[in-house]
């Protein structure tokens, strides 16, 4: 069943037509990768979905809600969490406070349970729960950003370049975690420049080039596609 | 020695009022990244609302006080909505000029309504003077001190220990990321203006309890002094505003007592210059790395 459906999306930065007629969908339980070079429009697409940017035209439908008309701060409450590019954790707040803010819109009594779950998945965050966010290493900040997103108990988690700027060990760890998150039933929409890693864990993928989707299909098929190999996998 | 203690108290009291006002400047700066130059005039509005309440028959003193504080809080929210919110993405110079304009507007509005003549405010705090040895502490002073201490404690707890407080800090750091958490930053900004302006209302009430006159430019001097205090303490820092306000009051009082009454302002602004030379971000201010 389609959880998120993007139709004929057009986004402009002033005069620049950054996203041109993009359409794609994400089904429940899938891991979908959006891959493409720097400037292809991956982050712009995600920001438009989570309400940080307004599209010129097009539709974004999530669980029957029209996201184009939903203000950014209402989207997380609908079940969509966003792990933004550059992590954007709150540097001056403690790890614990960052995580609690992830559950800001939740009114249920199980927040403590989710917090335990997050600490279990990221033991490092538990060790550092009273530390100020800005003092964490890049990899730890990425974990915090993911943990913060999980605190909202999302149906779908949207991740923007989670491996950017991390050491190779952390990169593998982050992708393992994404696999785990998906295995536990959360749908994942992943934007990555590291196409190889992204295609390895994705079910399906869309290839973006200068604001357009030029290729899409099963991740395994794309991995064997000659043009993808040449342009994105360095083979 | 007793004269030193007296001078200390003489500085502590206006200092704590400066601190209350400085809190408004610093909180608004922290979240909206602007200096609300109309903030001082809210003190004046608070004083007038109190005066009207006290002079109206059948309005008990406590109600006049509550109305003045609430009125200031509401005024702050309205000013933000009408004057500053439309300029959220405008260059900061436009916002600054608008804030100065708002300040003149409030002063002149009250000038038209109440004329430039000061109106005396009846005594409304009836607390007995307090004597320790040969030092007399007036009832007003005691009330001012207790009120300020309570407000500072409550505000510190609110900002550091509550869910809304951490949301407030999150918005002040990164509005976009805060909205991804589901935090409505417009609401947080309104709340900050409400709290800051209500504190200015409290400051206005305490001010006229001390100097018992209300006039349209009443807020100008404490407003600018408190702004200096906020900058000295580190604009954006809540404890900084408290420290800056009290430090300023003490410098004023000691200068007046031991150096010269005429040089008070020279020392106040001299302190500002010295702090800015050695620590441009203020005593507790931290440099924020601006991401491009």
């Amino acid at each position: 069943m389609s959880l998120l459906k993007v139709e004929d999306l057009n986004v402009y930065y002033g005069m620049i037509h950054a996203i041109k007629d993009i359409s794609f969908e994400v089904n429940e339980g899938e891991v979908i990768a959006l891959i493409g070079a720097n400037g292809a429009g991956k982050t712009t697409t995600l920001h438009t979905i989570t309400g940080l940017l307004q599209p010129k035209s097009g539709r974004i439908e999530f669980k029957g809600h029209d996201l184009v008309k939903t203000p950014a701060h209402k989207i997380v409450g609908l079940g969509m969490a966003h792990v933004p590019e550059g992590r954007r954790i709150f540097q001056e707040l403690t790890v614990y406070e960052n995580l609690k803010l992830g559950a800001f819109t939740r009114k249920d009594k199980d927040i403590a349970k989710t917090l335990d779950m997050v600490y279990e998945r990221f033991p490092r965050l538990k060790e550092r729960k009273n530390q100020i966010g800005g003092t964490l290493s890049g990899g730890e900040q990425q974990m915090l950003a993911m943990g913060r997103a999980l605190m909202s108990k999302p149906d779908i988690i949207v991740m923007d370049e989670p491996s950017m700027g991390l050491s190779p060990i952390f990169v593998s760890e982050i992708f393992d975690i994404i696999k785990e998150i998906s295995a536990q039933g959360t749908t994942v929409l992943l934007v990555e420049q590291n196409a190889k890693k992204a295609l390895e864990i994705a079910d399906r993928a869309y290839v973006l080039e200068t604001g357009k989707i030029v290729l899409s299909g099963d991740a395994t098929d794309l991995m064997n596609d000659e043009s993808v190999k040449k342009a994105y996998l360095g083979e | 020695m007793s004269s030193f203690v007296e001078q200390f108290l003489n500085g502590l009291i206006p200092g704590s009022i400066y601190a209350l006002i400085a809190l408004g400047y610093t909180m608004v700066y922290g979240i909206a990244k602007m200096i609300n130059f109309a903030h001082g005039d809210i003190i004046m509005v608070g004083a007038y609302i109190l005066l009207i309440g006290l002079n109206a028959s059948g309005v008990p003193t406590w109600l006049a006080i509550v109305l003045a504080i609430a009125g200031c809080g509401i005024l702050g929210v309205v000013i933000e909505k009408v004057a500053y919110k439309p300029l959220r993405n405008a260059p900061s110079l436009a916002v600054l000029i608008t804030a100065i304009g708002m300040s003149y507007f409030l002063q002149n509005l009250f000038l038209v309504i109440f004329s430039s003549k000061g109106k005396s405010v009846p005594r409304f705090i009836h607390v007995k003077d307090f004597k320790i040895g040969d030092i007399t502490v007036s009832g007003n002073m005691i009330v001012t001190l207790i009120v300020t201490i309570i407000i500072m404690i409550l505000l510190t707890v609110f900002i550091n220990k509550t869910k809304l407080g951490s949301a407030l800090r999150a918005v002040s750091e990164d509005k976009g990321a805060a909205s991804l958490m589901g935090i409505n930053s417009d609401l947080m900004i309104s709340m900050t203006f409400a709290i800051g302006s209500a504190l200015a209302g409290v400051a206005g009430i305490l001010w006229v309890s001390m100097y018992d006159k209300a006039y349209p430019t009443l807020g100008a001097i404490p407003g600018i002094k408190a702004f200096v205090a906020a900058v000295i303490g580190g604009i954006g820092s809540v404890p900084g505003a408290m420290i800056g306000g009290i430090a300023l009051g003490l410098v004023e009082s000691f200068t007046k007592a031991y150096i010269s009454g005429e040089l008070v302002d020279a020392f106040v602004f001299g302190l500002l210059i010295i702090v800015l030379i050695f620590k441009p971000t203020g005593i507790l201010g931290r440099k924020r790395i601006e991401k491009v």
Side-chain angles (χ1 to χ4, degrees), chain A residues 50 52 72-74 76 80 82 84 86 88-94 97-98 101-106 148, chain B residues 160-161 163-164 166-167 169-171 173-185 188 286 288 291:
Chain A
T50 52
L52 295 179
H73 69 269
K74 293 239 168 92
V76 63
M80 176 185 285
H82 184 164
R88 285 169 80 173
I89 60 152
F90 300 110
Q91 308 265 339
E92 290 173 27
L93 271 60
T94 64
E97 286 171 332
N98 267 281
L101 281 179
F104 185 77
T105 54
R106 280 177 63 183
R148 189 179 64 176
Chain B
N160 293 308
K161 297 284 172 218
K163 185 176 163 183
L164 271 182
S166 59
R169 284 181 289 146
V171 172
E173 200 183 314
D174 186 340
K175 280 193 188 60
S179 78
L180 294 180
M181 303 300 111
I183 302 167
N184 181 349
S185 57
M188 290 294 143
R286 262 174 300 165
R288 279 221 180 130
K291 272 188 222 141

Side-chain angles (χ1 to χ4, degrees), chain B residues 63-122:
Chain B
L63 185 60
I65 291 174
V66 170
L67 285 176
I69 297 170
C72 287
I74 293 166
L75 178 66
V77 175
V78 171
I79 289 176
E80 195 274 329
K81 283 260 182 295
V82 172
Y84 305 149
K85 195 179 170 195
L87 299 172
R88 196 68 56 74
N89 298 315
S92 54
L93 192 61
V95 185
L96 184 79
I97 292 167
T98 308
I100 294 172
M102 184 49 78
S103 165
Y104 282 124
F105 170 76
L106 288 175
Q107 285 181 22
N108 287 288
L109 180 71
F110 278 73
L111 195 70
V112 170
I113 302 174
F114 294 98
S115 89
S116 63
K117 237 175 83 197
K119 292 205 168 18
S120 52
V121 179

Side-chain angles (χ1 to χ4, degrees), chain A residues 34-40 42 161 192-193 195 206-209 232:
Chain A
L34 293 183
I35 59 174
N38 221 345
K42 305 184 300 287
E161 306 278 7
E192 258 296 339
Q193 276 191 62
Y206 295 85
V207 181
L208 260 83
E209 243 167 53
Y232 301 105

Side-chain angles (χ1 to χ4, degrees), chain A residues 51-62:
Chain A
L52 295 179
L53 284 173
Q54 276 298 314
K56 184 128 193 175
S57 66
R59 285 177 50 77
I60 305 169
E61 203 184 292
F62 174 62

Side-chain angles (χ1 to χ4, degrees), chain A residues 17 19 24 61 63 69 72 82 98 119 135 170 180:
Chain A
H17 196 172
I19 298 292
F24 66 92
E61 203 184 292
K63 295 205 300 191
K69 292 203 185 78
H82 184 164
N98 267 281
Y119 279 153
T135 62
F170 262 127
E180 261 176 62

Side-chain angles (χ1 to χ4, degrees), chain A residues 89 94-100 114-133 135-151 170 173-174 177:
Chain A
I89 60 152
T94 64
V95 168
Y96 172 76
E97 286 171 332
N98 267 281
L99 291 174
K100 286 286 278 212
T114 315
L115 185 67
D116 285 341
M117 233 177 61
V118 169
Y119 279 153
E120 211 173 293
R121 179 168 288 140
F122 305 103
R124 257 172 226 268
L125 296 185
K126 191 173 187 179
E127 283 164 33
R128 292 168 195 244
K129 63 179 175 188
N130 294 321
Q131 222 168 297
I132 299 292
T135 62
L136 300 182
S137 75
E140 288 163 351
Q141 290 195 10
Q142 187 61 51
M143 291 177 177
L144 180 54
M146 287 176 152
R148 189 179 64 176
L150 288 173
M151 285 299 292
F170 262 127
E173 206 173 332
I174 291 293
I177 292 163

Side-chain angles (χ1 to χ4, degrees), chain B residues 29-92:
Chain B
Y29 180 83
I31 201 155
K33 304 288 174 281
M34 66 161 291
I35 304 295
N36 177 17
F37 274 114
H39 189 61
D41 300 293
I42 293 178
I43 305 165
M44 173 270 294
V45 176
Y48 273 105
I49 299 177
L50 177 78
L51 178 69
I52 295 166
L54 291 176
N55 286 340
S57 59
V59 177
T61 306
W62 66 265
L63 185 60
I65 291 174
V66 170
L67 285 176
I69 297 170
C72 287
I74 293 166
L75 178 66
V77 175
V78 171
I79 289 176
E80 195 274 329
K81 283 260 182 295
V82 172
Y84 305 149
K85 195 179 170 195
L87 299 172
R88 196 68 56 74
N89 298 315
S92 54

